[in-house]
Amino acid sequence: MGDLLRVMAAVGSCIAAFAALVVTIRVWRTSRLTARLEVVRGLHAELVSDSAAQDRHTLGSLHWQNREINPDGAERGEVMCAYFAMLWRFERLHAGRKVLLEEANGRRDVALKMLDEQVYTHVAEYVCTFRVIKEKLTESNRDDTVFDGAYVKTFEQLCISLAYNFDDPEKKARLGAHANNTEKCNCTCHEVAAKPPLPAQRPIGASA
Ligand SMILES: [Zn+2]
Ligand SMILES: [Zn+2]
């Protein structure tokens, strides 16, 4: 009888220890996912911040209207600032996304799937925007080269990585547009007639 009690006590201890382990793992997984979702929230928030919205307006107006940049006045400088600010936002997104991927050993967990769904439209929109704005910046002043090589490369890597994770062929095509001369870009800006630049706006405080 005594032996049976000792065995039952030992079995009970094992069950209690196992249950505690299961609870600990569950708590750890939940807090880890919460932390990852917080990172996702921060990465997405950067793309929809007030300053990002302002930069999107600056670049989007030129892009969608197919309007040239006035080389005189303040516009070219403002467009240049918005262009690089957006490239740097996507650089931070790519870095944060890479960390989330590596932490999960390349597996797309709930956090990664949520991030990719949230940022897809933003990234796809800028595939054409960056290309068109770069051309307009270059054409408006060929003496002032746009040194964006490393940042553009990072954006391309982000597009490739995102496209890899989507099964939808339309999404893959949008992310791959302008990658080289064979991919077709379906952005409607390419059907809009080119417009001349707006009259030059002088920087605040500058004399005419
Ligand atoms: Zn395009
Ligand atoms: Zn376009």
Side-chain angles (χ1 to χ4, degrees), residues 26-166:
R26 280 197 180 156
V27 169
W28 174 75
R29 278 188 180 158
T30 303
S31 60
R32 183 168 172 263
L33 179 60
T34 303
R36 287 169 67 80
L37 288 172
E38 189 56 31
V39 172
V40 167
R41 195 195 65 77
L43 291 171
H44 178 249
E46 179 132 5
L47 294 180
V48 294
S49 65
D50 290 347
S51 57
Q54 181 58 51
D55 291 337
R56 180 183 184 272
H57 177 71
T58 301
L59 303 178
S61 308
L62 289 168
H63 176 203
W64 298 112
Q65 295 169 16
N66 195 9
R67 186 165 55 73
E68 300 308 314
I69 299 170
N70 196 320
D72 303 319
E75 185 181 32
R76 192 169 185 277
E78 287 166 4
V79 173
M80 189 79 87
C81 283
Y83 175 76
F84 277 94
M86 284 312 308
L87 278 174
W88 293 334
R89 286 190 183 95
F90 285 114
E91 183 186 48
R92 285 193 285 276
L93 168 62
H94 184 51
R97 192 173 170 278
K98 260 175 81 175
V99 169
L100 287 175
L101 260 177
E102 284 166 11
E103 200 184 57
N105 296 319
R107 195 174 57 84
R108 289 182 75 231
D109 65 345
V110 174
L112 243 305
K113 284 178 184 165
M114 186 173 163
L115 178 66
D116 288 357
E117 290 296 334
Q118 282 184 330
V119 303
Y120 162 73
T121 307
H122 296 269
V123 177
E125 179 182 321
Y126 276 88
V127 167
C128 189
T129 303
F130 283 140
R131 172 60 67 103
V132 167
I133 296 297
K134 168 83 176 280
E135 283 173 6
K136 291 183 185 301
L137 281 168
T138 303
E139 283 163 14
S140 62
N141 186 350
R142 293 199 167 271
D143 294 329
D144 185 17
T145 306
V146 182
F147 291 105
D148 58 0
Y151 308 122
V152 168
K153 258 265 132 335
T154 301
F155 181 73
E156 287 170 1
Q157 287 168 359
L158 171 64
C159 291
I160 291 168
S161 181
L162 264 185
Y164 178 78
N165 286 329
F166 282 115

Side-chain angles (χ1 to χ4, degrees), residues 1-23:
M1 191 65 183
D3 286 349
L4 182 61
L5 279 173
R6 272 197 293 278
V7 170
M8 284 176 69
V11 170
S13 303
C14 283
I15 291 172
F18 182 71
L21 182 65
V22 169
V23 169

